[in-house]
Amino acid sequence: MDVTAVLNTLLHGNQLKRSARTGWVQRGVPNAENVAAHTYGVVFAALVLAQVVEAEIDLGKALAMAVLHDLPEGLTTDIPTPAWRYLPPGIKSDVERMAMHEILDDAAYRPQFMAWWEELHVSASPEARLVHDADRLDLFIQALMYEQQTNNRHLAEFWAGAPLFHYPEAQALYHELRRQREA
Amino acid sequence: MDVTAVLNTLLHGNQLKRSARTGWVQRGVPNAENVAAHTYGVVFAALVLAQVVEAEIDLGKALAMAVLHDLPEGLTTDIPTPAWRYLPPGIKSDVERMAMHEILDDAAYRPQFMAWWEELHVSASPEARLVHDADRLDLFIQALMYEQQTNNRHLAEFWAGAPLFHYPEAQALYHELRRQREA
Amino acid sequence: MDVTAVLNTLLHGNQLKRSARTGWVQRGVPNAENVAAHTYGVVFAALVLAQVVEAEIDLGKALAMAVLHDLPEGLTTDIPTPAWRYLPPGIKSDVERMAMHEILDDAAYRPQFMAWWEELHVSASPEARLVHDADRLDLFIQALMYEQQTNNRHLAEFWAGAPLFHYPEAQALYHELRRQREA
Amino acid sequence: MDVTAVLNTLLHGNQLKRSARTGWVQRGVPNAENVAAHTYGVVFAALVLAQVVEAEIDLGKALAMAVLHDLPEGLTTDIPTPAWRYLPPGIKSDVERMAMHEILDDAAYRPQFMAWWEELHVSASPEARLVHDADRLDLFIQALMYEQQTNNRHLAEFWAGAPLFHYPEAQALYHELRRQREA
Amino acid sequence: MDVTAVLNTLLHGNQLKRSARTGWVQRGVPNAENVAAHTYGVVFAALVLAQVVEAEIDLGKALAMAVLHDLPEGLTTDIPTPAWRYLPPGIKSDVERMAMHEILDDAAYRPQFMAWWEELHVSASPEARLVHDADRLDLFIQALMYEQQTNNRHLAEFWAGAPLFHYPEAQALYHELRRQREA
Amino acid sequence: MDVTAVLNTLLHGNQLKRSARTGWVQRGVPNAENVAAHTYGVVFAALVLAQVVEAEIDLGKALAMAVLHDLPEGLTTDIPTPAWRYLPPGIKSDVERMAMHEILDDAAYRPQFMAWWEELHVSASPEARLVHDADRLDLFIQALMYEQQTNNRHLAEFWAGAPLFHYPEAQALYHELRRQREA
């Protein structure tokens, strides 16, 4: 084991604990969660969804994808949508891929981690779709909590659309969150 | 799928984002991480360790154990060691088991989650040992970061002992952290 | 005077400034008060109540009880109700008593402090009852402030019951708080 | 009992939970304590000192003085020394007295509270001296904690002088704090 | 250039980053802005207003006045209105003037800075009036943001009056803010 | 005056109060300043520098440039250097220019604001150079304050280089800061 490379990976991962979720901060949520806490929420939601969907899920792959899904933000921070609009389409994936390469450096597991990462971005596998649903579920759960705890009106825009989830179970959970919000 | 039971699980999991890591708070770390961010750190360390140890690891099981390892604290909070000393030996596991049961309630995956949980507590399997090592690695990485960023002298006691890790790779990473601290 | 023992007492007391009030934190109150600030609120409410109740109050005893009432939490933190439910009934007092003993150690005033502490727990004296009323008044005042300042809906459950105070004056103040809340 | 006047007193007291200790804030202490937490520290120190000094102390009077000693700051905030220098000498007491009158308004206990307040300012009684010593002890304990936890160099000036305490026991505790600081 | 005097000025200016806006803090706004952020808001509003009012504005003078307008608070903090009521009328300007003198010390630009400062206080020039309007616009913008983000009811009193602005354009912006608030 | 366009400008400017300075956050500075507070620091430093440099400075232009210099970050946030490295060289200016256009929209002063903005980016005029020096001075002053207040070792890298300032007066102030740091 290359101690330097592995510790380097871990320290980059630690950086997510110091990376705010920009969407909350820009809307004035006090003490908004960081990317590490959000990532936990996604891994947890993925673990739960994996138990309830009908598709056969490779749990190790799904949870690995979930924990890696925002790792580049340790280097780039959570750049908000308004900024990406000014950049060429598709460049977000390129930026994140380069960040992943820098984070993983010479570590022996780089090919494996990059493979999971790419598979997540293609969204073709059952595991990738599960993680995307988990990512959005954590977002809506958190938005509802912040609304119930601060009545922040700037969060209403998160609920403006009608998101389509890949799995009907995730869709049902979203509808229940929405129902509770309107209650 | 029982929507109510599943959402109930997710909302209990969300509670970790509002549960401080008591050890840091009692030692005056400003804006100390919460249990959710710590759990992310453990899952991430477990994913990395799983790549570098020689033992064969069931990745799905290991990451599931990691994400569940502090889930009871959503109900109980992170009760510190000084408090547990006043209670009968072994009661900590009982309390956490009861909290797990309450969190999982009637969800169909309760037997599976409880099985992982019990296996983690017995520490007999390669995956359980990996998660315990990951748990401590995240602790020492975070302690070092806080020391480097605030020079908090009350954190020195975390380094007083000579912890034994299950896997030599985790041990080597700990020694490197210790070396950097003394540099 | 045993300087070491007395300073030890004071440093344990200082720990309340780093002990959050868990009930607020679990409900997402940003920058929730700590136990030290709450204790101040109880001492102040006890001082005011002592002026307005008809019973004869030993003011020194009442204020001493008020300032000591959550002192064990410097060691144990503010363990929330959900956790105590998993433990044998009555064990909370035992835990707190042991913490008090550890905090006071060999200090000459330990018997006196313990006597106040025990009297408070028995709730038989006019002073003990006054402090219990003050403790709850500070809770409801703070809940109302947080509700008015953040509109946090998770605090509503504090108002679900119909608490009975020992003194009619405390009861009247509670009713006025409740009236302002509903206005 | 005049419910409105009494609740008015309690709400003014609650304001200390939202009043920062300016000396810490101006020196960049993150999440500095508020005046409520400091007041708790003074009441607690007064309770402890009352046990160890040789003078006979009216405990009720001493603790009442301690809990009231910064009450005006609920209206005025903790105006720092640099500002008072620009005002006529002695005006600080006048300002605080007027604030006390406004806070207590028509409450029946106003004469009693004002009498304690005036006695504290004259510093002639054993209880007043005890509270002044407690006030300074809490300051030095807190300064030491912040120094140990953040290594803030701007706090060094608090230790520049050689303060004289009224009671030898308080003086001894100060010297022990100073010794620990230099260790 | 007198390096010591100039750096002294800059360090006093830096102090505004550690000076809370007291009005927000007393009303329980979490993580309330500091005086530095407010001053930015005033300079920015002054720059915008200077473009849209009909009067001829010396931009350099207006922006200098804006950036200096709360500089004394680096020494005095933002003393709230309740405190000033207890002091002789007009003394606020005297206090701030003395603080300005202390901040600027022997710096060669002291006469120039003091002249701007005095002109702002007299409110006779178009630039002074513009800055006063900008000061209040930033206040109302911020109050609206906090209300939308936390629903804090204690901020309602800021909107109780019917403020008169010097420039009709500032008045129109205020009316639009008020309209949005009531929507 | 187009009330909607002008208020839109002001609300975008207000967003800087909710935009953290990423460099501090990534290095674990607790409660790091936001971009609004930093912008204040730059405007203030520019005002001071304008008094002491030999060049003739158009003060209105210099202060306008200073207050506008980070305005795009209200939309884009403070994207850190590690992220920009992954993007085509020169694209940072393009992104910021597009953000400026969106912020200023149809406001009548857009051409004027854009002209200042472009002049600042070219760095050819005495005013532009002054603002660049002021920007860096505020950075180093703040870094020194954070180091003195938390002893954060991760900030040392800010001092690794030997920055060249445009004006000898700014260079002298930097050297004095550096000297104080090493003292």
Side-chain angles (χ1 to χ4, degrees):
Chain A
M1 182 186 69
D2 179 343
V3 170
T4 304
V6 174
L7 193 52
N8 194 36
T9 303
L10 292 175
L11 289 174
H12 272 110
N14 183 269
Q15 189 65 35
L16 294 191
K17 298 185 183 183
R18 290 183 295 283
S19 306
R21 290 269 285 171
T22 303
W24 307 132
V25 176
Q26 290 190 316
R27 286 166 185 83
V29 172
N31 309 330
E33 66 171 342
N34 53 41
V35 181
H38 162 66
T39 298
Y40 152 76
V42 178
V43 178
F44 186 61
L47 175 62
V48 169
L49 282 180
Q51 314 302 313
V52 298
V53 298
E54 292 207 1
E56 200 161 326
I57 299 293
D58 177 338
L59 187 62
K61 194 206 279 186
L63 299 188
M65 282 175 173
V67 74
L68 294 174
H69 89 289
D70 275 342
L71 184 57
E73 297 186 4
L75 275 177
T76 65
T77 71
D78 178 15
I79 301 174
T81 306
W84 290 116
R85 283 177 305 139
Y86 305 132
L87 291 164
I91 208 169
K92 186 169 190 286
S93 290
D94 293 345
V95 166
E96 293 178 345
R97 186 176 294 110
M98 283 184 273
M100 282 295 283
H101 272 278
E102 184 170 340
I103 287 169
L104 298 173
D105 199 22
D106 284 337
Y109 43 79
R110 185 166 87 174
Q112 174 64 81
F113 279 27
M114 291 309 301
W116 281 324
W117 173 260
E118 298 293 349
E119 183 175 328
L120 180 64
H121 271 241
V122 175
S123 289
S125 66
E127 290 82 10
R129 288 173 179 156
L130 188 96
V131 172
H132 285 299
D133 278 5
D135 192 8
R136 288 198 289 175
L137 268 185
D138 184 68
L139 175 75
F140 287 111
I141 289 170
Q142 196 56 57
L144 182 60
M145 288 300 104
Y146 286 144
E147 286 187 316
Q148 290 181 344
Q149 289 160 3
T150 65
N151 210 16
N152 188 319
R153 287 185 232 169
H154 294 179
L155 304 183
E157 63 189 276
F158 284 104
W159 303 91
L164 286 178
F165 288 77
H166 295 290
Y167 290 95
E169 292 81 4
Q171 192 79 47
L173 290 162
Y174 168 76
H175 283 310
E176 174 60 16
L177 284 169
R178 193 167 187 112
R179 196 193 60 73
Q180 289 193 11
R181 179 173 185 265
E182 282 155 14
Chain B
M1 183 187 68
D2 178 344
V3 170
T4 303
V6 174
L7 193 52
N8 194 36
T9 302
L10 293 175
L11 290 174
H12 272 110
N14 183 270
Q15 188 66 34
L16 295 191
K17 299 185 182 184
R18 291 183 295 283
S19 306
R21 290 270 285 171
T22 302
W24 307 133
V25 176
Q26 290 190 316
R27 285 165 185 84
V29 172
N31 308 331
E33 66 171 341
N34 52 42
V35 181
H38 162 65
T39 297
Y40 152 77
V42 177
V43 178
F44 186 61
L47 175 62
V48 169
L49 282 180
Q51 313 302 313
V52 299
V53 298
E54 292 207 2
E56 200 161 325
I57 298 293
D58 176 338
L59 187 62
K61 194 208 279 188
L63 300 188
M65 282 174 173
V67 74
L68 294 174
H69 88 289
D70 275 342
L71 184 57
E73 298 186 4
L75 276 177
T76 65
T77 73
D78 179 15
I79 300 174
T81 305
W84 290 116
R85 283 177 306 141
Y86 304 131
L87 292 163
I91 207 170
K92 187 170 189 283
S93 290
D94 293 345
V95 165
E96 294 178 346
R97 186 177 294 110
M98 283 185 272
M100 281 295 283
H101 272 279
E102 182 170 341
I103 288 170
L104 298 173
D105 200 24
D106 283 338
Y109 41 80
R110 185 166 88 175
Q112 174 63 82
F113 279 26
M114 291 309 301
W116 280 324
W117 173 260
E118 298 293 350
E119 184 176 328
L120 180 63
H121 271 241
V122 174
S123 289
S125 67
E127 290 81 11
R129 289 173 177 156
L130 188 96
V131 172
H132 284 299
D133 278 4
D135 192 9
R136 289 198 291 173
L137 268 185
D138 184 69
L139 175 75
F140 287 110
I141 290 171
Q142 195 57 55
L144 183 60
M145 288 301 103
Y146 286 144
E147 285 187 317
Q148 291 181 344
Q149 289 160 4
T150 64
N151 209 18
N152 188 318
R153 286 186 232 169
H154 295 180
L155 304 183
E157 63 188 275
F158 285 104
W159 303 90
L164 286 178
F165 287 77
H166 295 290
Y167 290 95
E169 292 81 4
Q171 193 79 46
L173 290 162
Y174 168 76
H175 283 311
E176 174 60 16
L177 284 169
R178 194 166 186 112
R179 197 193 59 74
Q180 289 194 11
R181 180 173 184 265
E182 282 155 14
Chain C
M1 182 187 70
D2 179 343
V3 170
T4 303
V6 174
L7 193 53
N8 194 37
T9 303
L10 293 175
L11 289 174
H12 272 109
N14 184 269
Q15 189 66 34
L16 295 191
K17 299 185 182 184
R18 290 183 294 283
S19 306
R21 290 268 286 171
T22 302
W24 307 133
V25 176
Q26 289 190 316
R27 287 166 185 82
V29 172
N31 309 331
E33 66 171 341
N34 51 42
V35 181
H38 162 66
T39 298
Y40 152 77
V42 178
V43 178
F44 186 61
L47 174 62
V48 169
L49 283 180
Q51 313 303 312
V52 299
V53 298
E54 293 207 2
E56 200 162 325
I57 298 293
D58 176 338
L59 187 62
K61 194 207 277 187
L63 299 188
M65 283 175 173
V67 74
L68 293 174
H69 87 290
D70 275 342
L71 184 58
E73 298 186 5
L75 276 177
T76 65
T77 73
D78 178 15
I79 301 174
T81 306
W84 291 117
R85 283 177 306 141
Y86 304 131
L87 291 163
I91 207 169
K92 187 169 190 284
S93 290
D94 293 346
V95 166
E96 294 178 346
R97 186 176 293 110
M98 283 185 272
M100 282 294 283
H101 272 279
E102 183 170 340
I103 287 170
L104 298 172
D105 201 21
D106 284 337
Y109 41 79
R110 187 167 86 176
Q112 172 65 79
F113 280 25
M114 291 310 300
W116 281 325
W117 172 260
E118 298 294 348
E119 183 176 328
L120 179 64
H121 272 241
V122 175
S123 288
S125 66
E127 290 81 11
R129 288 174 179 154
L130 188 96
V131 171
H132 285 300
D133 277 4
D135 193 9
R136 288 199 289 175
L137 267 185
D138 184 69
L139 175 76
F140 286 111
I141 289 170
Q142 196 55 58
L144 182 60
M145 288 300 104
Y146 285 144
E147 285 187 317
Q148 290 181 343
Q149 289 161 3
T150 65
N151 210 17
N152 188 319
R153 287 186 232 170
H154 295 180
L155 304 183
E157 62 189 274
F158 284 103
W159 302 91
L164 286 179
F165 288 77
H166 295 289
Y167 290 95
E169 292 81 4
Q171 192 78 47
L173 289 163
Y174 168 76
H175 283 310
E176 173 60 14
L177 285 169
R178 193 165 186 112
R179 197 193 59 73
Q180 288 194 12
R181 180 174 183 264
E182 281 155 14
Chain D
M1 184 187 69
D2 178 344
V3 170
T4 303
V6 174
L7 193 53
N8 194 37
T9 303
L10 292 175
L11 290 174
H12 272 110
N14 184 270
Q15 188 65 34
L16 294 191
K17 299 185 183 183
R18 290 184 295 282
S19 306
R21 289 269 285 170
T22 302
W24 308 132
V25 176
Q26 289 190 317
R27 286 167 185 83
V29 172
N31 308 331
E33 66 170 341
N34 52 41
V35 181
H38 161 66
T39 298
Y40 152 77
V42 178
V43 178
F44 186 61
L47 175 62
V48 169
L49 283 180
Q51 314 302 313
V52 298
V53 298
E54 294 207 1
E56 200 161 325
I57 299 294
D58 176 338
L59 187 61
K61 194 209 277 188
L63 299 188
M65 282 175 173
V67 73
L68 294 175
H69 88 289
D70 275 343
L71 183 57
E73 298 186 4
L75 275 176
T76 65
T77 73
D78 178 14
I79 300 174
T81 306
W84 291 115
R85 284 178 304 141
Y86 304 133
L87 291 164
I91 207 169
K92 186 169 190 285
S93 290
D94 294 345
V95 166
E96 294 178 345
R97 186 176 293 110
M98 283 184 273
M100 282 294 284
H101 273 279
E102 182 170 341
I103 287 170
L104 298 172
D105 200 23
D106 283 338
Y109 42 79
R110 187 167 86 175
Q112 173 65 79
F113 279 26
M114 291 309 300
W116 281 324
W117 172 260
E118 298 294 349
E119 183 176 328
L120 179 64
H121 272 241
V122 175
S123 288
S125 66
E127 290 81 10
R129 289 173 178 155
L130 188 97
V131 172
H132 284 299
D133 277 4
D135 192 8
R136 288 198 290 174
L137 267 184
D138 184 68
L139 175 76
F140 287 111
I141 289 170
Q142 196 56 56
L144 182 60
M145 288 300 104
Y146 285 145
E147 286 188 316
Q148 290 181 343
Q149 289 160 3
T150 65
N151 210 18
N152 188 319
R153 288 186 233 170
H154 294 180
L155 304 183
E157 63 189 275
F158 284 104
W159 303 91
L164 286 179
F165 287 77
H166 295 289
Y167 289 96
E169 292 80 4
Q171 192 78 48
L173 289 162
Y174 168 77
H175 283 309
E176 174 60 15
L177 285 169
R178 195 167 185 110
R179 198 193 59 73
Q180 288 193 12
R181 180 174 184 265
E182 281 155 14
Chain E
M1 182 187 70
D2 179 344
V3 170
T4 303
V6 174
L7 193 53
N8 194 37
T9 303
L10 292 175
L11 289 174
H12 273 108
N14 184 269
Q15 189 66 34
L16 295 191
K17 299 185 182 183
R18 290 183 295 283
S19 306
R21 291 269 285 170
T22 302
W24 308 133
V25 176
Q26 290 190 315
R27 285 166 186 84
V29 172
N31 309 330
E33 66 170 341
N34 52 42
V35 180
H38 162 65
T39 298
Y40 152 78
V42 177
V43 178
F44 186 61
L47 175 63
V48 169
L49 283 180
Q51 313 302 313
V52 298
V53 298
E54 293 207 1
E56 200 162 325
I57 299 293
D58 176 337
L59 187 61
K61 193 207 279 188
L63 299 188
M65 282 174 174
V67 74
L68 294 174
H69 89 289
D70 275 342
L71 184 56
E73 298 186 3
L75 275 177
T76 65
T77 73
D78 178 14
I79 301 174
T81 305
W84 291 116
R85 283 177 305 141
Y86 304 131
L87 292 163
I91 207 170
K92 186 169 189 284
S93 291
D94 293 345
V95 165
E96 293 178 347
R97 186 176 293 111
M98 284 184 272
M100 282 294 283
H101 272 279
E102 182 170 340
I103 287 170
L104 298 172
D105 200 22
D106 284 337
Y109 42 79
R110 186 167 86 175
Q112 174 64 81
F113 279 26
M114 291 309 300
W116 280 324
W117 173 260
E118 299 293 350
E119 184 176 328
L120 179 63
H121 272 240
V122 174
S123 289
S125 68
E127 290 81 11
R129 289 173 179 155
L130 188 97
V131 171
H132 285 299
D133 278 5
D135 193 9
R136 288 199 290 175
L137 268 184
D138 184 68
L139 175 76
F140 286 111
I141 289 170
Q142 195 57 56
L144 183 60
M145 288 301 103
Y146 286 144
E147 286 187 316
Q148 290 181 343
Q149 289 160 4
T150 65
N151 210 18
N152 188 319
R153 287 185 232 171
H154 294 180
L155 304 183
E157 62 188 275
F158 284 104
W159 303 90
L164 286 178
F165 288 77
H166 295 289
Y167 290 95
E169 291 81 4
Q171 192 79 47
L173 289 163
Y174 167 76
H175 283 310
E176 174 59 16
L177 285 169
R178 194 167 186 112
R179 198 193 58 74
Q180 289 194 11
R181 179 173 184 266
E182 282 155 13
Chain F
M1 184 187 69
D2 179 343
V3 170
T4 304
V6 174
L7 192 53
N8 195 35
T9 303
L10 293 175
L11 289 175
H12 272 110
N14 183 270
Q15 189 66 35
L16 294 191
K17 298 185 183 183
R18 291 183 294 283
S19 306
R21 289 271 284 171
T22 302
W24 307 131
V25 176
Q26 289 190 317
R27 285 166 186 84
V29 172
N31 308 331
E33 67 171 341
N34 53 41
V35 181
H38 161 66
T39 297
Y40 153 77
V42 178
V43 178
F44 186 61
L47 174 62
V48 169
L49 283 180
Q51 314 302 312
V52 297
V53 298
E54 292 205 4
E56 200 161 325
I57 298 294
D58 176 338
L59 187 62
K61 194 207 278 187
L63 299 188
M65 282 175 174
V67 74
L68 294 174
H69 89 288
D70 275 341
L71 184 57
E73 297 186 5
L75 276 176
T76 65
T77 72
D78 178 14
I79 300 174
T81 306
W84 290 117
R85 284 178 304 141
Y86 304 133
L87 291 164
I91 207 169
K92 186 169 190 285
S93 291
D94 293 345
V95 165
E96 294 178 346
R97 187 176 293 110
M98 283 184 273
M100 282 294 283
H101 272 278
E102 183 169 340
I103 288 170
L104 298 172
D105 200 23
D106 284 337
Y109 42 78
R110 185 167 87 175
Q112 174 63 81
F113 279 25
M114 292 309 300
W116 280 324
W117 172 260
E118 297 294 349
E119 184 175 327
L120 180 64
H121 271 242
V122 175
S123 289
S125 66
E127 290 81 11
R129 288 174 180 154
L130 188 97
V131 171
H132 285 299
D133 278 4
D135 192 9
R136 288 198 289 174
L137 268 184
D138 184 68
L139 175 75
F140 287 110
I141 290 170
Q142 196 56 56
L144 183 59
M145 287 301 104
Y146 286 144
E147 285 187 317
Q148 291 181 343
Q149 289 161 3
T150 64
N151 210 16
N152 189 318
R153 289 186 231 171
H154 294 181
L155 304 183
E157 62 189 275
F158 284 104
W159 302 90
L164 286 179
F165 287 78
H166 295 289
Y167 289 96
E169 291 81 4
Q171 192 79 48
L173 289 162
Y174 168 77
H175 283 310
E176 174 60 16
L177 285 168
R178 192 166 188 113
R179 197 193 60 73
Q180 288 194 12
R181 179 173 184 266
E182 281 154 15

